[in-house]
Amino acid sequence: MTGVPLLDQHLLSVLIGLPLVGAAALLFLPREGHRTIRNVTFLFTLAEFLLSLLVVARFESGTAAMQLVESVPWIPRYGIGYIVGVDGISLWLLMLTTFIMPITILSAYSSVQKHVKEFMVFMLILATAMVGVFVATDLFLFYVFWEMVLIPMYFLIGVWGGERRIYAAIKFFLYTFVGSVLMLVAILALYFHHYAVTGTYTTDLVKLYSLTIPVKMQFWLFAAFFLAFAFKVPMFPFHTWLPDAHTEAPTAGSVILAAVLLKMGTYGFLRFAMALFPVAASDFTPLIVTLAVIGILYGALVAMVQKDVKRLVAYSSVAHLGFVMLGLFALNLQGIEGGILQMINHGVSTGALFLVVGIIYERRHTRLISEFGGLSRVLPVFAFCFMVITLSSIGLPGTNGFVGEFLIMLGAFRTHMWHTAVAATGVIFAAVYMLWMFQRVMYGKVTQEENLRLEDMNGREVAYMLPLLLLVFWIGVYPQPFLRRMDASVAAFVTRFEAQKQAALRGSPAGETMLVRYFDSGK
Amino acid sequence: MTPIAMDTGALVRGLYCILPEMVVIGTAILVLLADLLLPEEGKKRLCHLSVAGVAAAILSALWLGPGKIEGFSGMIVHDGMGLFFTLTILAAALLTLMMATGYSEWEGTQKGEFYALILLSTSGMLFMAEGTDLMTVFLGLETLSIPIYCLVGFHRGRMRSLEGAMKYFLLGAFSSGFFLYGIALMYAAAGTTRIPVIASMMRDARLYGNPVFLAGIGLLLVGFAFKVSLVPFHMWTPDAYEGAPTLVTAFMGAAVKAAAFAALLRVVLLTFPAILPAMSGVLWVLAALTMTVGNFSALLQNNMKRMLAYSSIAHAGYILVGLTAGGVAGGQAVLFYVLVYAFMNLGAFGVIMLVAQREDDGYDIDNFAGIGFRYPVLGGLLSLFLVSLAGIPPTAGFVGKFYLFGAAVRSGYVGLAVLGVLNSAVSVYYYLRPVVSMYMAPAPEGIPVPRPPRSAFSFALCASAAAVLLLGVMPASALEFAERSVLSLLM
């Protein structure tokens, strides 16, 4: 490798560790110095982002293997290691995380006024955990980071949230925790199965990939992983925690939740549930795709009738994540690449939407659509940003949303024609609820006296909105740099998926029903 | 029994083997003597003396090392597992006594007998953990229990304290009866009370199926179940835990449990493989019941001490999952968890001792409102201990549960592991309630002012916190030590 070898060897660990160092540094700052605390946090997250650009620079798009791998024995006698790496599947999710962090910190300059120090400490711990989730390629390490995410987020919602914050925080924690504990049992079962077959203990994901798991076992393990990830995504009908968490969380919390935390679920499906248990994943596909389509329509319809802008955006997330799931379970190159790209797009667009909502909430202390109207004349810069983000969320050609949804439908149409046809109507619904909301908030007469006195976006707000807008158009017009770096990994994923599925199905007669395959004890 | 030959070499070897116990007992006697000589204002020296004694005991245990030393013709053995539990128990005692520096001053337990009782009870625990003869185990059990009865009722003026002590004493006496009767029946069937001899007899199936022997082992199990408060033998726990001086509660949760599980593990690991099919069902049901009843009862509590009492029942259930799984993996998981539990339990009680001062409602969860931001160190520490109790990474509680449930999955008890993790999910709700109260609930006018901790107290809290984090992030060496300890027993 070229460049600074030492940094290259430990690049991902540095990315994991840097926010923690920042959090430790904050502890030594006086708690009254809000300005210093904010600036120091911002600098740490910015440094994190700049360092992560190095990952893109070092990334080789020609290979599907894990890159920038670092492997250190952790509990060596039991084959548990600290193993991190990136490939085409995790690269952009890692980048999304480091990209969104400085933006949310900037947004929190004005929106968080109490307990600033603790807020920033939790944000930095959260950053470490999120980066860890996306780069961990050891099941044990992944699970540690996966659960570690919960605690700072729980505090962010519960302490800095809205009126029903405690309810929302506990609901968020319990729902996602219940989902993930069963995954822990599944991880253990997989771990001992690997031992039984090969005689060595390991939680190294790459080694586990090469294992052919008996189909009956796949069913149960997939079910456990499914539950953990379905709660996180969240898929219909596991989504009920999301509107509460989103609505009650502070702006920065909502942005992180939407942009990164939900992606942990979809990423988990791709990286773990589907990759490890291909037979079960294929057999579950009709169910999952159906749930995804229900999610798309249900999310859109419920979003349409919301009175609170933030709640509307929260339900739109359910719909968007339905699209991502549809793409992933198309199980072909276009669908999966579209799914990954749409994860990024959703992070950018919905993250930006929450920021937009945060900006007017800070000025008016309400998010009710009926309180607004005619804002476009009062706030021209804001109106422009809001418009672009709205269009990107709808998926207008030229914006990022279009590319992602188009690829997803291209892929899904080949495998699930009718589902895709129904899902396409979701795009129309999205246009309806978003544009209708936009119209009621931004156009028409100014109905409220105080809306006339609102101030337009200030320099800081423009500064954090601008990168998001750029990304909207960049991905919308020229997505090739993003897709090219996924190609090799996704293609390898599809190939391995098919091969592993055939290997596991060897011995099963063609046309075997699921009932016989998984539940016939005579087999 | 064969008469014990009184040759001097054997006696010296025996005494050498129980060196840590002797140091602890010697300290207890010294404390009682010094109590007579010291003036009233010098009583805090008693605490320092006790701390020094326990520290010396730890050093002597380390000096003995993990090699196997038998004493008193095999009545007691200092082996790897004995060392592991000795260190766990002594660490718990050391932390308890360090916390006593402050606690005794506030609560008026600055008395010679308080420390002497703690030390004597500790010596009983050590005998229990190293006893290889059922009689030694029983003597250890009594030596540990009787001082604890006194300690629970130490606040003679408080009804709660007396009520707890009375309940604990009555039920404890019953359980000792069960225990002893079990030993008698086993002796009747086997003709010996040596655990290894019984184990080898069972391996060649001479005892298997003997109803007298099975009844004996059943009664023995009931006796243990009382001590580690397994459902349905747990009724005394909430009252005793709530009534006892908080320091004693913390000590009971950490050390008594460790000692009882040490003896239980020795009996189970050595003898149960032979009768596993019959016994594993019993243990399975006990574990499932204990976890579930403990957690669901804890959900309903508003008093921190009571909540942690039920949580300790639930944790006994988790540990029993490891015992049910059995084998090296199960034993190792139990050892590691007992160690981890000692730290997180003592730590949590330590913070509670500082915050809660009024006896009546001081321990209410609502009373912790607003503590988190006003006293960030205390709030952070309590949160850390509770998160670890809930089993969330990156704390030691998570690694401990990972290995307990891992052992269960490995032995084929997937259902029990599923039940265990679901129980952990339930427990999150009540462990987070104090956190909600500390950080999220609106702070009342008068936030209680915590007591300023003495330096030894602060050190004990920080040491517990460091242990919880260290065993969570770097558990490898402790796990290997636990594994070697179990192997030393089975070899």
Side-chain angles (χ1 to χ4, degrees), chain A residues 61-342:
Chain A
S61 43
T63 168
M66 286 289 166
Q67 305 187 28
L68 299 166
V69 173
E70 205 175 315
S71 174
V72 184
W74 186 6
I75 312 179
R77 266 189 73 72
Y78 308 100
I80 294 173
Y82 168 87
I83 311 173
V84 292
V86 286
D87 66 354
I89 293 173
S90 54
L91 173 69
W92 295 117
L93 290 164
L94 168 68
M95 292 309 296
L96 176 68
T97 308
T98 57
F99 169 75
I100 212 85
M101 276 313 291
I103 293 178
T104 45
I105 297 293
L106 269 188
S107 84
Y109 267 49
S110 54
S111 61
V112 174
Q113 295 295 343
K114 66 168 187 177
H115 307 310
V116 176
K117 183 167 156 180
E118 287 83 356
F119 182 88
M120 294 301 178
V121 168
F122 282 126
M123 287 293 277
L124 287 169
I125 295 176
L126 190 59
T128 285
M130 293 187 304
V131 169
V133 164
F134 291 127
V135 300
T137 56
D138 177 284
L139 268 180
F140 185 83
L141 185 67
F142 166 76
Y143 190 82
V144 167
F145 283 126
W146 171 270
E147 299 265 275
M148 225 175 109
V149 167
L150 293 183
I151 296 170
M153 198 60 198
Y154 166 75
F155 276 99
L156 288 179
I157 300 175
V159 177
W160 291 273
E163 219 158 273
R164 290 167 65 238
R165 60 182 189 274
I166 295 177
Y167 169 77
I170 293 176
K171 197 170 174 185
F172 159 76
F173 200 110
L174 283 183
Y175 274 52
T176 43
F177 194 73
V178 167
S180 48
V181 288
L182 289 175
M183 179 166 77
L184 181 65
V185 180
I187 290 175
L188 284 167
L190 185 62
Y191 174 67
F192 289 117
H193 177 71
H194 185 271
Y195 176 72
V197 173
T198 65
T200 51
Y201 287 117
T202 188
T203 45
D204 183 348
L205 191 62
V206 178
K207 285 188 188 137
L208 291 171
Y209 276 163
S210 58
L211 200 63
T212 306
I213 302 161
V215 284
K216 267 187 198 170
M217 195 169 182
Q218 289 204 11
F219 177 85
W220 291 107
L221 298 188
F222 184 85
F225 275 78
F226 169 80
L227 209 60
F229 299 139
F231 267 114
K232 201 76 164 194
V233 169
M235 288 185 72
F236 179 89
F238 304 101
H239 67 281
T240 55
W241 63 270
L242 182 79
D244 289 311
H246 262 327
T247 314
E248 297 306 322
T251 302
S254 302
V255 174
I256 300 267
L257 197 59
V260 185
L261 257 61
L262 306 189
K263 306 309 162 337
M264 287 167 47
T266 44
Y267 168 76
F269 269 110
L270 200 55
R271 175 71 90 212
F272 300 96
M274 295 162 73
L276 286 167
F277 320 114
V279 177
S282 306
D283 285 336
F284 269 89
T285 299
L287 172 74
I288 291 176
V289 170
T290 308
L291 288 179
V293 172
I294 294 177
I296 293 172
L297 296 183
Y298 170 87
L301 290 174
V302 178
M304 222 176 278
V305 297
Q306 295 306 315
K307 298 187 178 82
D308 182 326
V309 189
K310 213 172 174 187
R311 241 184 142 75
L312 182 148
V313 179
Y315 276 106
S316 82
S317 280
V318 177
H320 282 150
L321 268 297
F323 266 110
V324 175
M325 291 302 291
L326 183 65
L328 297 186
F329 277 82
L331 295 172
N332 52 33
L333 191 70
Q334 290 89 342
I336 294 175
E337 287 200 353
I340 299 175
L341 193 65
Q342 192 61 7

Side-chain angles (χ1 to χ4, degrees), chain A residues 318-523:
Chain A
V318 177
H320 282 150
L321 268 297
F323 266 110
V324 175
M325 291 302 291
L326 183 65
L328 297 186
F329 277 82
L331 295 172
N332 52 33
L333 191 70
Q334 290 89 342
I336 294 175
E337 287 200 353
I340 299 175
L341 193 65
Q342 192 61 7
M343 291 186 214
I344 311 300
N345 294 340
H346 177 261
V348 171
S349 311
T350 309
L353 270 178
F354 278 119
L355 289 170
V356 162
V357 176
I359 289 172
I360 45 172
Y361 181 75
E362 267 174 54
R363 287 162 173 67
R364 275 294 317 276
H365 297 286
T366 178
R367 296 181 304 249
L368 292 180
I369 296 174
S370 55
E371 288 286 313
F372 300 105
L375 293 190
S376 62
R377 254 165 296 164
V378 192
L379 311 168
V381 181
F382 177 77
F384 172 74
C385 295
F386 196 1
M387 189 72 203
V388 172
I389 300 298
T390 305
L391 295 178
S392 132
S393 179
I394 297 167
L396 194 81
T399 65
N400 58 350
F402 175 75
V403 182
E405 281 177 4
F406 183 73
L407 274 174
I408 287 172
M409 287 204 251
L410 203 63
F413 195 76
R414 285 169 43 201
T415 47
H416 305 93
M417 197 170 72
W418 290 107
H419 285 98
T420 314
V422 179
T425 62
V427 182
I428 302 168
F429 284 130
V432 173
Y433 65 76
M434 286 307 291
L435 289 180
W436 191 33
M437 182 266 287
F438 190 79
Q439 181 201 343
R440 281 179 293 167
V441 172
M442 302 307 287
Y443 295 133
K445 282 205 180 74
V446 180
T447 48
Q448 304 275 334
E449 186 71 9
E450 60 221 280
N451 284 347
L452 284 171
R453 291 190 298 273
L454 293 183
E455 278 171 37
D456 207 346
M457 282 165 70
N458 58 31
R460 180 179 51 85
E461 285 161 344
V462 172
Y464 66 68
M465 200 56 87
L466 211 56
L468 291 165
L469 298 187
L470 279 178
L471 214 52
V472 164
F473 291 118
W474 184 5
I475 302 181
V477 176
Y478 186 52
Q480 202 48 32
F482 296 91
L483 294 173
R484 188 163 48 87
R485 288 180 172 80
M486 293 177 203
D487 281 337
S489 293
V490 176
F493 173 87
V494 175
T495 321
R496 197 185 53 233
F497 185 90
E498 270 309 311
Q500 283 288 352
K501 187 172 139 190
Q502 296 312 329
L505 279 179
R506 205 166 294 144
S508 298
E512 186 185 42
T513 62
M514 274 178 76
L515 211 61
V516 174
R517 182 174 290 168
Y518 298 122
F519 297 105
D520 185 8
S521 54
K523 244 193 73 186

Side-chain angles (χ1 to χ4, degrees), chain B residues 192-372:
Chain B
T192 179
T193 48
R194 291 288 149 78
I195 299 172
V197 180
I198 295 175
S200 65
M201 287 170 87
M202 285 178 55
R203 244 169 255 140
D204 36 85
R206 258 179 288 169
L207 287 173
Y208 189 72
N210 182 339
V212 175
F213 182 79
L214 283 183
I217 213 164
L219 288 176
L220 194 71
L221 197 61
V222 170
F224 275 122
F226 265 110
K227 276 296 151 201
V228 298
S229 54
L230 301 180
V231 175
F233 310 102
H234 67 289
M235 301 298 182
W236 59 273
T237 315
D239 292 315
Y241 270 42
E242 194 189 348
T246 315
L247 186 68
V248 175
T249 314
F251 183 58
M252 283 165 75
V256 174
K257 199 158 266 178
F261 268 114
L264 184 56
L265 194 64
R266 215 177 265 279
V267 173
V268 167
L269 282 185
L270 282 178
T271 63
F272 275 22
I275 48 166
L276 198 66
M279 272 319 195
S280 66
V282 176
L283 290 181
W284 199 105
V285 172
L286 278 177
L289 264 180
T290 307
M291 289 189 292
T292 313
V293 172
N295 277 319
F296 278 88
S297 312
L299 283 180
L300 307 172
Q301 308 305 321
N302 286 320
N303 178 303
M304 287 285 257
K305 272 168 99 174
R306 256 188 122 73
M307 186 193 92
L308 286 175
Y310 280 109
S311 113
S312 90
I313 295 173
H315 281 272
Y318 298 139
I319 297 175
L320 204 59
V321 171
L323 267 176
T324 313
V328 178
Q332 171 204 23
V334 170
L335 258 62
F336 184 76
Y337 204 82
V338 165
L339 176 70
V340 166
Y341 182 72
F343 287 118
M344 55 199 188
N345 194 52
L346 273 170
F349 273 113
V351 179
I352 292 172
M353 267 180 250
L354 290 178
V355 176
Q357 292 158 38
R358 280 163 300 160
E359 265 306 305
D360 44 351
D361 64 345
Y363 293 98
D364 279 359
I365 291 175
D366 296 337
N367 194 42
F368 285 68
I371 293 284

Side-chain angles (χ1 to χ4, degrees), chain B residues 54-90:
Chain B
V54 174
I58 290 179
L59 289 180
S60 68
L62 287 173
W63 186 55
L64 288 182
K68 191 167 181 172
I69 314 163
E70 279 195 4
F72 301 104
S73 10
M75 294 282 279
I76 199 156
V77 66
H78 179 92
D79 54 1
M81 199 173 95
L83 178 66
F84 191 96
F85 277 110
T86 302
L87 290 177
T88 306
I89 292 164
L90 287 174

